[in-house]
């Protein structure tokens, strides 16, 4: 039985696992390693420590589908809509730029529900808090080391974490990347920002006419959203939750600062944007060091194959674009590359 390791439980990694389960010739044993404590990657949904039904999207807020991808990825959208994992965004988002033919969708259970759906479909063994440190060649297999526990061997490895993490890996993989490939990988750049989630008690009112708004006049706050309102979910038992995304310049400036200090700065600026905001019962501040790809790896068309026998491939938005369709494109390209070598 071929043992396949997918590193990263974000959208690309989870969809790779689901597509492999569906389309790869059996028998294949799928394992997903994720360095965080939960799945989602940059489609993370956080929960209130006081009420798990109160959630907030700390990463992607909604999914925009263009006419081109509505056709190309129709089956993916149809499946998620039929299952109720996605639904049309009907709530008002102030300052949103709409192009003709675009459709926007929200995830009623939070954007991480998309990832959880694909992981469930894949039947993969999913292991959290597994940070990969080394990848070595051992007897025509990959021996993959993590920061805890013994190394394990796999026939195929798929890397879907941000490119800087790939370039940090130790072991034989460092020598397998050609100079040309390394230059291309080093050319990939990301924006950085913070997201702050605020959870409120049941019955709290946040009296604003919008579900989300883009802000252009503040040096810190770029976007805010009342998550339950964005998803059209009203409940007397679940308090509202609010998310704030910072500007990229603010994120870059404070990238190496402690999250508690940064959270205080965001609160100060938020008071000017939303004066009189009620006091939250809980908060969660998320640093997105690798938020969105600002410069993708050129000429790799969704994936980069580093080694053929045994097979080692990289995928993710670094090889396409930072949105739902970019990750779907990459996952499909990784699958095609794999099918040619399994």
């Amino acid at each position: 039985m071929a043992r396949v390791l997918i590193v990263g439980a974000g959208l690309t990694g989870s969809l790779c696992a689901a597509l492999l389960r569906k389309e790869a010739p059996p028998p294949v044993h799928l394992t997903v390693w994720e360095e965080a404590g939960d799945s989602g990657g940059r489609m993370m949904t956080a929960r209130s420590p006081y009420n798990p039904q109160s959630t907030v999207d700390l990463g992607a807020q909604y999914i925009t589908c263009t006419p081109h991808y509505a056709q190309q990825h129709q089956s993916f959208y149809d499946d998620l809509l039929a299952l109720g994992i996605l639904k049309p965004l009907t709530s008002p988002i102030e300052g949103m730029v709409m192009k003709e033919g675009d459709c926007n969708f929200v995830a009623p259970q939070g954007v991480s529900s998309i990832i959880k759906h694909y992981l469930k479909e894949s039947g993969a063994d999913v292991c959290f808090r597994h940070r990969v440190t080394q990848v070595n060649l051992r007897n025509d297999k990959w021996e993959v080391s993590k920061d805890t526990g013994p190394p394990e061997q796999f026939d195929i490895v798929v890397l879907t974490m941000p490119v800087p993490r790939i370039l940090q890996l130790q072991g034989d993989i460092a020598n397998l990347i050609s100079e040309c490939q390394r230059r291309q990988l080093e050319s990939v750049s990301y924006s950085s920002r913070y997201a702050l989630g605020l959870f409120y008690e049941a019955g709290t009112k946040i009296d604003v006419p919008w579900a989300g708004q883009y802000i252009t006049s503040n040096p810190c706050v770029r976007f805010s959203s009342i998550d339950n309102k964005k998803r059209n979910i009203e409940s007397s038992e679940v308090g509202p939750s609010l998310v704030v995304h910072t500007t990229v310049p603010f994120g870059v400036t404070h990238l190496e600062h402690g999250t508690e200090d940064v959270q205080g700065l965001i609160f100060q600026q938020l008071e000017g944007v939303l004066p009189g905001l009620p006091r939250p019962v809980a908060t969660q501040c998320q640093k997105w060091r690798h938020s969105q790809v600002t410069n993708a790896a050129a000429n790799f068309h969704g994936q980069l194959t580093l080694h053929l026998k045994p097979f080692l491939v990289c995928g993710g938005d670094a090889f396409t674009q930072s949105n739902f369709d970019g990750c779907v494109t990459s996952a499909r390209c990784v699958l095609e590359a794999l099918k040619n070598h399994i």
Side-chain angles (χ1 to χ4, degrees):
M1 181 179 288
R3 294 195 77 216
V4 180
L5 172 65
I6 295 169
V7 182
L11 180 54
T12 305
S14 62
L15 186 50
C16 275
L19 292 175
L20 263 171
R21 174 63 66 216
K22 196 182 294 184
E23 299 190 37
V28 170
H29 182 272
L30 291 172
T31 301
V32 177
W33 285 0
E34 168 58 50
E35 70 172 86
D38 201 356
S39 58
R42 283 165 283 166
M43 296 179 84
M44 175 199 277
T45 303
R47 296 182 182 278
S48 167
Y50 299 103
N51 186 344
Q53 289 179 286
S54 177
T55 63
V56 68
D57 290 328
L58 290 180
Q61 294 297 301
Y62 52 85
I63 289 169
T64 300
C65 177
T66 63
H68 170 73
Y69 284 115
Q71 189 172 8
Q72 201 168 36
H73 296 158
Q74 183 180 352
S75 63
F76 296 93
Y77 284 104
D78 286 351
D79 287 349
L80 294 172
L81 286 162
L83 291 165
I85 295 168
L86 284 184
K87 67 177 184 180
L89 170 65
T90 57
S91 306
I93 308 289
E94 286 186 0
M96 177 193 282
V97 177
M98 284 289 290
K99 294 179 182 172
E100 190 177 348
D102 284 2
C103 293
N104 292 304
F105 302 101
V106 287
Q109 301 304 311
V111 286
S112 70
S113 63
I114 301 167
I115 280 76
K116 293 183 193 312
H117 163 69
Y118 287 135
L119 288 175
K120 187 178 178 183
E121 273 203 335
S122 76
D125 291 334
V126 185
C127 305
F128 298 115
R129 307 204 186 281
H130 278 42
R131 181 183 173 92
V132 174
T133 55
Q134 287 195 34
V135 180
N136 288 295
L137 269 172
R138 296 283 187 270
N139 304 319
D140 293 328
K141 291 184 186 294
W142 294 112
E143 186 177 86
V144 185
S145 303
K146 51 192 184 297
D147 52 5
T148 55
E152 295 184 38
Q153 292 198 342
F154 299 92
D155 301 284
I156 293 166
V157 173
V158 181
L159 303 174
T160 70
M161 66 271 235
V163 163
R165 284 279 296 109
I166 295 172
L167 290 169
Q168 287 167 4
L169 292 174
Q170 303 293 306
D172 294 334
I173 186 173
N175 302 318
L176 295 172
I177 301 172
S178 71
E179 275 306 308
C180 177
Q181 289 170 337
R182 187 172 294 278
R183 280 197 302 273
Q184 287 272 39
L185 291 174
E186 287 173 347
S187 74
V188 175
S189 57
Y190 296 81
S191 61
S192 300
R193 68 177 78 236
Y194 283 85
L196 177 62
L198 312 176
F199 301 98
Y200 295 92
E201 286 181 333
T204 303
K205 299 291 183 204
I206 302 175
D207 192 20
V208 291
W210 41 262
Q213 65 168 177
Y214 286 93
I215 297 143
T216 57
S217 57
N218 189 278
C220 170
V221 179
R222 177 70 182 101
F223 178 81
S224 63
S225 171
I226 300 163
D227 244 25
N228 49 305
K229 200 169 176 181
K230 178 188 76 182
R231 301 176 199 165
N232 262 337
I233 298 170
E234 294 292 333
S235 169
S236 58
E237 297 168 15
V238 182
S241 57
L242 188 144
V243 66
V244 180
H245 282 247
T246 71
T247 64
V248 170
F250 178 91
V252 172
T253 301
H254 299 90
L255 194 57
E256 305 306 333
H257 295 199
T259 50
E260 277 192 26
D261 294 340
V262 173
Q263 179 169 302
L265 294 172
I266 297 171
F267 265 123
Q268 286 175 15
Q269 294 293 330
L270 191 57
E271 181 60 36
V273 175
L274 291 171
L277 198 63
R279 189 173 182 83
V281 292
T283 61
Q284 183 165 334
C285 190
Q286 174 68 37
K287 179 194 293 187
W288 293 115
R289 184 179 292 276
H290 306 113
S291 176
Q292 289 178 298
V293 173
T294 52
N295 187 61
N299 306 319
F300 285 127
H301 310 295
Q303 58 86 23
L304 167 60
T305 300
L306 290 179
H307 202 267
L308 291 176
K309 291 184 180 179
F311 198 72
L312 176 63
V313 63
C314 307
D317 57 352
F319 306 96
T320 49
Q321 55 193 341
S322 285
N323 54 26
F324 178 84
D325 292 297
C327 292
V328 173
T329 298
S330 179
R332 294 176 89 177
C333 292
V334 168
L335 180 74
E336 285 308 307
L338 279 168
K339 280 163 70 175
N340 293 332
H341 295 283
I342 288 180

